[in-house]
Amino acid sequence: MKTKKIYLEYLEEFKSFGIPKKEIEELKAQGIAADIRFHKELYEDKSSNRPTVGFLLGQDKGDNGEEYYTIGLTYAQAALSTGAEIKFLDYENTYQQMKDCDGVILPGGAFDNPEDFFIDGKDMGGKEGKRFFAYKAAITEAYRHHKPMLGICAGAQMIGALLGNMKMYRSLEKEVSKKTVHKPKAETDVRIHGLKLIKGTPIFDIMGLDANEDKIMINSRHNQAMVHPALQDYVEGTPLVKMDLYAVSDSDGIPEIWGNEAAGILCVQGHPEDLAAKGNKKMQHLYDYIAQKAKMYKQAHPQMTMKYTKAVKRVVKIIKRLKQRQ
């Protein structure tokens, strides 16, 4: 499939960077996959050897009903601060766009999940849509090629459920004795709460924490989450990737950070980008981690990209020859 490079613009209506969804859909109808990027002037580091990290876009609807793919300002700042080249993923071309990424960031968002993700065993009639399948495509493609992943909020839940065989609470308010405010009433409320760190896990190196620290503060805005560790022991099935628990909410034990160091997977239930935007370097380190892992992946797989490019060029030449003969 042909590609066309297009750039996100600042959208005052949403206080985000974004692009109209219809522009992506029109290109797809022409057999063109959008290659979505930040404008080059937004990067401090403009070197050509940076790793490429995919970032799955969110969505917003304007007052006139027009739909947009978007990335919020704090997400944008955290991603740009990693020094990686950011390539954005839409919901039409996710597999195609992931092919030349060295890692991926899966942000938060609201959408229906499969009913079997939840611990309650109920069928509430949820129907997965394009956004869910875009998350699934990005995670599947990353897993297949051993690319590192950073999941934030819903992105963390998707990785935990799809790869780690972790189950979820459908509603923290109804299923857990409420001791921590995981979701403030206002989306703009950067409410923070404590996390209990699990000793001996990679989170200390990832965030640059002292080995003696036993607690950090983070913010969050979610009403669904992975179930308590004790309940996970009763979940049947073998995970594709074993997820190690790095931190839990200090007052109610809800899993907050987990991952697999060897696989380059890090999942954060909160929103560290909001605090990173206020100058919290430890929270920025969570984003820097994915760029570091992506750089390692790029260095370890240089021939893969070259072979893929050469193979595509060979196919294009064959197709051109066939057309000339017709």
Side-chain angles (χ1 to χ4, degrees):
M1 180 180 285
K2 295 180 180 178
T3 62
K4 180 179 179 179
K5 190 164 285 188
I6 56 177
Y7 298 92
L8 298 182
E9 303 293 343
Y10 179 68
L11 305 175
E12 178 64 33
E13 182 177 1
F14 309 113
K15 299 292 189 293
S16 301
F17 289 96
I19 191 168
K21 290 182 72 174
K22 66 179 181 182
E23 186 172 335
I24 306 298
E25 292 166 352
E26 287 170 358
L27 286 173
K28 181 68 179 292
Q30 300 170 40
I32 300 172
D35 182 358
I36 312 169
R37 307 281 178 154
F38 276 130
H39 285 286
K40 290 184 178 179
E41 57 265 27
L42 292 176
Y43 292 98
E44 290 186 13
D45 179 3
K46 297 179 174 61
S47 60
S48 60
N49 63 346
R50 294 174 297 163
T52 298
V53 174
F55 189 106
L56 186 61
L57 289 164
Q59 56 186 6
D60 280 295
K61 182 180 288 188
D63 293 336
N64 62 357
E66 185 169 6
E67 294 181 308
Y68 294 83
Y69 284 113
T70 57
I71 174 176
L73 292 183
T74 56
Y75 274 130
Q77 180 175 324
L80 285 165
S81 295
T82 66
E85 169 74 23
I86 306 301
K87 178 177 182 178
F88 293 98
L89 315 176
D90 59 50
Y91 309 161
E92 302 288 337
N93 309 282
T94 317
Y95 277 119
Q96 175 78 9
Q97 292 162 334
M98 273 290 297
K99 289 189 180 300
D100 61 353
C101 291
D102 303 302
V104 65
I105 298 172
L106 300 151
F111 49 88
D112 282 347
N113 296 316
E115 295 293 344
D116 62 4
F117 276 17
F118 299 104
I119 196 73
D120 60 16
K122 298 177 181 178
D123 185 349
M124 305 298 287
K127 294 182 179 179
E128 309 93 289
K130 273 189 176 182
R131 189 169 185 176
F132 166 78
F133 287 108
Y135 275 83
K136 185 176 181 180
I139 293 168
T140 301
E141 186 69 8
Y143 169 72
R144 182 180 296 148
H145 296 286
H146 311 289
K147 297 179 180 182
M149 296 175 245
L150 171 63
I152 302 294
C153 198
Q157 294 167 4
M158 292 301 95
I159 294 172
L162 287 168
L163 298 182
N165 196 37
M166 298 170 71
K167 293 294 184 181
M168 297 170 56
Y169 291 116
R170 194 183 298 271
S171 171
L172 288 174
E173 289 187 356
K174 296 178 180 178
E175 297 175 78
V176 177
S177 298
K178 197 166 185 182
K179 296 178 181 178
T180 295
V181 178
H182 290 279
K183 184 175 183 178
K185 292 182 179 180
E187 287 288 321
T188 54
D189 181 2
V190 185
R191 184 76 61 84
I192 61 175
H193 61 85
L195 300 187
K196 179 182 178 182
L197 303 171
I198 297 176
K199 296 293 183 182
T201 62
I203 197 62
F204 292 87
D205 288 336
I206 291 170
M207 297 187 72
L209 302 172
D210 187 281
N212 294 321
E213 290 187 62
D214 59 1
K215 182 178 177 179
I216 59 171
M217 304 299 289
I218 199 168
N219 67 305
S220 60
R221 46 181 183 271
H222 61 99
N223 189 43
Q224 293 181 342
M226 315 321 284
V227 304
H228 287 91
L231 292 178
Q232 299 288 2
D233 292 340
Y234 294 95
V235 175
E236 295 182 358
T238 303
L240 293 172
V241 180
K242 181 182 180 297
M243 297 297 170
D244 300 313
L245 199 56
Y246 297 166
V248 298
S249 175
D250 64 351
S251 59
D252 56 23
I254 294 296
E256 293 276 354
I257 305 178
W258 60 91
N260 183 298
E261 174 70 8
I265 293 175
L266 178 62
C267 296
V268 183
Q269 182 63 78
H271 285 270
E273 67 280 354
D274 292 345
L275 296 177
K278 296 179 180 293
N280 189 316
K281 292 182 179 180
K282 292 179 180 179
M283 292 297 165
Q284 178 61 42
H285 288 335
L286 293 167
Y287 278 84
D288 296 341
Y289 171 82
I290 189 65
Q292 293 162 5
K293 286 291 186 179
K295 185 176 182 179
M296 292 169 62
Y297 179 89
K298 181 181 176 70
Q299 292 172 343
H301 299 80
Q303 297 302 317
M304 183 177 291
T305 302
M306 291 174 61
K307 287 179 181 177
Y308 175 77
T309 302
K310 289 179 180 178
V312 170
K313 288 182 178 179
R314 284 198 297 271
V315 171
V316 170
K317 286 182 180 179
I318 292 170
I319 292 173
K320 285 183 178 179
R321 289 172 187 167
L322 291 173
K323 286 184 177 180
Q324 290 172 354
R325 293 175 182 174
Q326 293 177 349

